[in-house]
Amino acid sequence: MSMIADFYGGKSILITGATGFLGKVLMEKLFRTSPDLRVIYILVRPKAGQTLQQRVFQILNSKLFEKVKEVCPNVHEKIRAISADLNQNDFAISMQDMQELLSYTDIIFHCAATVRFDDHLRHAVQLNVTATQQLLLMASQMPNLKAFIHISTAFSNCNLKHIDEVIYPCPVEPKKIIDSMEWLDDAIIDEITPKLIGDRPNTYTYTKALGEMVVQQESGKLNLAIIRPSIVGATWQEPFPGWVDNVNGPTGLIVAAGKGFLRSIRATPMAVADLIPADIVVNLTLAVGWYTAVHRPKSTLIYHCTSGNLNPCNWGKMGIQVLATFEKIPLERAFRRPKADFTTNNVTTQYWNAVSHRAPAIIYDFYLRLTGRKPRMTKLMNRLLRTLSMLEYFINRSWEWSTYNTEMLMSKLTPEDQRVFNFDVRQLNWLEYIENYVLGVKKYLLKEDMAGIPEAKQHLKRLRNIHYLFNTALFLIAWRLLIARSQVARNVWFFIVSFCYKFLSYFRASSTLKV
Ligand SMILES: CCCCCCCCCCCCCCCCCCCCCCCC(=O)SCCNC(=O)CCNC(=O)[C@H](O)C(C)(C)COP(=O)(O)OP(=O)(O)OC[C@H]1O[C@@H](n2cnc3c(N)ncnc32)[C@H](O)[C@@H]1OP(=O)(O)O
Ligand SMILES: NC(=O)C1=CN([C@@H]2O[C@H](COP(=O)(O)OP(=O)(O)OC[C@H]3O[C@@H](n4cnc5c(N)ncnc54)[C@H](OP(=O)(O)O)[C@@H]3O)[C@@H](O)[C@H]2O)C=CC1
């Protein structure tokens, strides 16, 4: 019997960010392991022309929730979508809904955030700091609340090399930042943003660090815990391997490599690729929820959910395995063959960007124009290069995260809980995981049919032939131009031609003699 699964039985759980990548995996696991939970409240905003109900319907009818429907057939009744926008005062939640949340909530999992690296500071502060503060205020009015679990990121202190499971203060107090966002105009905020974020690479990591400070400062009598996952990747085992449905982190680059857009990337092959599968993050999160509520640690504990110190893998190994998987299982309608390299300095990066990224895009757009179609490849390539420049910071450095609290928690679990809520990253086989990840990208994100693999392989063969043809033509044109301008080239050309002629004459003469 799982103590953790048992704990969530009969509970009312509030999840923010439930429509996001991690939130969905969290909800799925909760329903699957504790089908007798009372209700999961999710704070959802209408989006992309969909109502709340349509959004929930879409999630529950996705492949991710197939197993849930077997163990919890009435899952539709146990999920209660509450209209809310975390950017608004009181989250724009109706009085009636607010009353229900305040009266019944037992556990809060706060996953919502903006994870965009380039978000405007005002927006990032609003969502990652102010909303956290407001949610804590709400939590403090919940008489039944047993635990508040805040999802942060292992990169909130990426300006440090060694990171412990403690909160590192930012120079300017979060309250001052929140206040200043109310009266400063956008232009001034733009001007002070680099000074505020200091040696962090973006507004995301900075505001997540501020969010942690808010959690610490507003803790009051709440039972709080913070989880810091590193780079969350596709699921490892549960509910099935390789599930992923957005392009964040490495996923977008895997797609770009598989489709042949990404041909070189400035990365340090030996740097640790601190990836962590989404199901490991979720298992740790649920274990932390249980531990925080039942054992009520005296202080707010921080749990690193990282892989680097227990089971390291580097970007080089990962990249090779991604490409090896695309050899066996290619993506459909690739632009070029999946073939990419790591570059390690600025000059080679600029060179390969020009030769392998920009030039083919320009040539393809020229072809599109010639055939009366709208050019689009240069725009797409520029976006990819922009994305690469945003991610580069994280693939050229290594960090060390201590994991004492996470390991302590593992030791507190029963063998059954260690199995059902497995967050032991040492058991993960990277090569197998990456292969499943790439397969998952193909099946669940791009929704490509496995039956199309032979055609995809044929397409790659055609691309290879076009590539050879193109290179030969390019060589001949270059050679022709050279001959026209250089006496040395003409002499070499004369020598080759006369040599071939003599060789053929000899061959013809000897074959005539034999007859
Ligand atoms: C030996 C040879 C080896 C060669 C191997 C090659 C194989 C490659 C595989 C392995 C490479 C691994 C690299 C991994 C890099 C990982 C870095 C992760 C860092 C995480 C640190 C922190 C973790 C967290 O806590 S937060 C979660 C992570 N958050 C994000 O990832 C958000 C990042 N995205 C953004 O901030 C924005 O999207 C931005 C700024 C990149 C682009 O914004 P913009 O406004 O320009 O456009 P969008 O509308 O947002 O998107 C435009 C376009 O880009 C696509 N896209 C978005 N994100 C990515 C991405 N990560 N990779 C690729 N493409 C991406 C998006 O879908 C859009 O496409 P459209 O076609 O236009 O719709
Ligand atoms: N993915 C990763 O690699 C990592 C993620 N994390 C952390 O994990 C958490 C979850 O991340 P992830 O699932 O990847 O992120 P997603 O971007 O997939 O999900 C973000 C969620 O927040 C919700 N949200 C955003 N703005 C609002 C708003 N104004 N009102 C209500 N809801 C809102 C989104 O709702 P909607 O669907 O409406 O947009 C969505 O449900 C975040 O706190 C992130 O910092 C930490 C480390 C790594």
Side-chain angles (χ1 to χ4, degrees):
M1 182 68 198
S2 159
M3 286 200 320
I4 300 177
D6 200 36
F7 165 76
Y8 288 106
K11 297 283 188 302
S12 303
I13 299 152
L14 168 61
I15 303 181
T16 69
T19 51
F21 174 47
L22 213 54
K24 281 184 271 200
V25 184
L26 177 66
M27 248 193 324
E28 192 279 340
K29 176 86 184 200
L30 265 169
F31 279 128
R32 188 158 43 83
T33 49
S34 307
D36 57 339
L37 58 81
R38 185 181 159 267
V39 65
I40 296 186
Y41 296 113
I42 59 174
L43 301 190
V44 195
R45 51 182 176 169
K47 203 179 170 189
Q50 286 184 308
T51 62
L52 303 196
Q53 285 66 32
Q54 284 167 332
R55 292 195 76 185
V56 173
F57 184 82
Q58 196 177 27
I59 293 173
L60 295 184
N61 282 297
S62 68
K63 167 117 183 108
L64 183 71
F65 278 76
E66 273 176 8
K67 282 190 186 163
V68 163
K69 284 197 205 133
E70 287 166 22
V71 284
C72 183
N74 60 340
V75 58
H76 288 89
E77 294 159 21
K78 294 212 171 211
I79 190 163
R80 174 116 152 69
I82 294 195
S83 176
D85 183 346
L86 271 63
N87 283 326
Q88 308 288 323
N89 262 347
D90 289 333
F91 302 155
I93 298 178
S94 74
M95 289 267 278
Q96 203 183 349
D97 286 342
M98 183 62 91
Q99 212 43 58
E100 184 173 345
L101 286 176
L102 294 183
S103 313
Y104 293 107
T105 305
D106 291 297
I107 319 277
I108 297 178
F109 293 107
H110 179 33
C111 300
T114 166
V115 301
R116 290 185 64 91
F117 294 154
D118 65 340
D119 227 344
H120 194 266
L121 187 65
R122 187 196 300 285
H123 184 243
V125 167
Q126 173 58 47
L127 207 55
N128 296 349
V129 192
T130 315
T132 303
Q133 190 187 40
Q134 276 202 46
L135 192 65
L136 285 160
L137 191 73
M138 245 175 93
S140 66
Q141 298 164 45
M142 294 175 172
N144 295 317
L145 193 76
K146 293 160 187 72
F148 181 117
I149 311 302
H150 174 73
I151 310 293
S152 185
T153 164
F155 294 94
S156 54
N157 301 291
C158 59
N159 50 329
L160 305 176
K161 197 162 163 29
H162 178 91
I163 302 155
D164 283 319
E165 289 163 307
V166 296
I167 292 173
Y168 296 91
C170 298
V172 185
E173 282 289 303
K175 278 190 189 126
K176 284 193 182 147
I177 302 283
I178 294 173
D179 288 346
S180 62
M181 291 300 130
E182 297 201 342
W183 58 270
L184 288 177
D185 68 28
D186 281 358
I188 298 178
I189 294 179
D190 285 341
E191 216 166 287
I192 60 169
T193 298
K195 292 191 184 78
L196 287 174
I197 68 175
D199 48 4
R200 286 185 177 79
N202 51 44
T203 53
Y204 170 68
T205 50
Y206 174 62
T207 53
K208 288 299 276 190
L210 289 177
E212 290 183 3
M213 283 179 74
V214 161
V215 170
Q216 190 183 43
Q217 291 170 356
E218 310 279 323
S219 56
K221 289 186 185 136
L222 294 171
N223 264 329
L224 291 158
I226 296 177
I227 298 180
R228 288 185 183 151
S230 47
I231 303 170
V232 183
T235 53
W236 168 36
Q237 293 174 317
E238 289 181 82
F240 46 83
W243 186 81
V244 62
D245 76 341
N246 74 17
V247 293
N248 282 343
T251 311
L253 296 192
I254 291 175
V255 175
K259 292 281 183 188
F261 298 123
L262 177 69
R263 306 282 290 189
S264 81
I265 176 170
R266 196 167 111 70
T268 306
M270 293 312 290
V272 176
D274 211 299
L275 227 66
I276 191 86
D279 45 342
I280 289 197
V281 181
V282 159
N283 286 344
L284 174 68
T285 303
L286 292 174
V288 168
W290 159 80
Y291 185 76
T292 312
V294 173
H295 293 270
R296 305 169 69 93
K298 284 195 188 72
S299 61
T300 300
L301 291 186
I302 293 146
Y303 300 84
H304 282 163
C305 192
T306 53
S307 57
N309 64 334
L310 297 173
N311 183 3
C313 179
N314 61 44
W315 290 114
K317 188 172 166 186
M318 205 162 274
I320 288 170
Q321 182 65 357
V322 168
L323 296 181
T325 309
F326 280 133
E327 287 259 320
K328 287 192 280 180
I329 312 154
L331 296 184
E332 290 170 9
R333 293 184 300 276
F335 173 58
R336 293 181 72 193
R337 286 175 303 151
K339 192 171 166 297
D341 270 317
F342 288 136
T343 57
T344 43
N345 69 57
N346 267 339
V347 180
T348 48
T349 306
Q350 294 305 328
Y351 173 78
W352 286 116
N353 277 348
V355 172
S356 295
H357 291 140
R358 291 210 167 89
I362 292 170
I363 294 168
Y364 188 72
D365 276 351
F366 181 65
Y367 161 75
L368 287 180
R369 272 208 186 90
L370 280 183
T371 50
R373 284 173 284 175
K374 204 174 156 216
R376 58 190 162 84
M377 200 49 75
T378 312
K379 197 169 159 200
L380 204 147
M381 214 45 105
N382 285 340
R383 277 186 153 190
L384 175 66
L385 294 182
R386 192 173 115 78
T387 301
L388 284 178
S389 70
M390 296 265 172
L391 300 182
E392 265 176 13
Y393 178 92
F394 300 95
I395 36 183
N396 285 288
R397 288 171 175 74
S398 295
W399 287 266
E400 287 159 19
W401 285 279
S402 61
T403 48
Y404 297 114
N405 289 340
T406 304
E407 289 174 67
M408 172 281 293
L409 180 59
M410 208 181 302
S411 70
K412 302 266 180 204
L413 302 193
T414 62
E416 175 66 353
D417 276 334
Q418 286 180 356
R419 188 184 64 77
V420 180
F421 294 91
N422 183 7
F423 53 88
D424 187 356
V425 75
R426 286 169 295 204
Q427 294 169 21
L428 185 141
N429 174 331
W430 282 110
L431 296 185
E432 200 178 280
Y433 171 70
I434 292 159
E435 182 165 321
N436 284 329
Y437 192 158
V438 173
L439 245 153
V441 165
K442 180 176 172 72
K443 287 202 283 190
Y444 311 120
L445 176 68
L446 301 176
K447 307 210 175 345
E448 291 187 3
D449 194 340
M450 298 303 271
I453 291 177
E455 168 52 28
K457 285 190 172 164
Q458 255 333 98
H459 178 70
L460 292 187
K461 273 193 191 144
R462 280 195 294 274
L463 288 179
R464 189 195 54 196
N465 293 342
I466 293 174
H467 176 78
Y468 288 156
L469 215 71
F470 181 82
N471 279 1
T472 313
L474 207 66
F475 173 76
L476 290 177
I477 293 170
W479 188 236
R480 182 69 193 83
L481 290 176
L482 202 67
I483 286 176
R485 279 155 210 264
S486 148
Q487 183 59 46
V488 180
R490 268 198 296 276
N491 290 347
V492 173
W493 182 235
F494 179 73
F495 174 77
I496 294 173
V497 171
S498 63
F499 178 81
C500 290
Y501 179 75
K502 277 181 193 153
F503 180 77
L504 280 177
S505 310
Y506 170 79
F507 186 71
R508 260 202 355 232
S510 62
S511 57
T512 328
L513 275 179
K514 269 183 206 155
V515 172

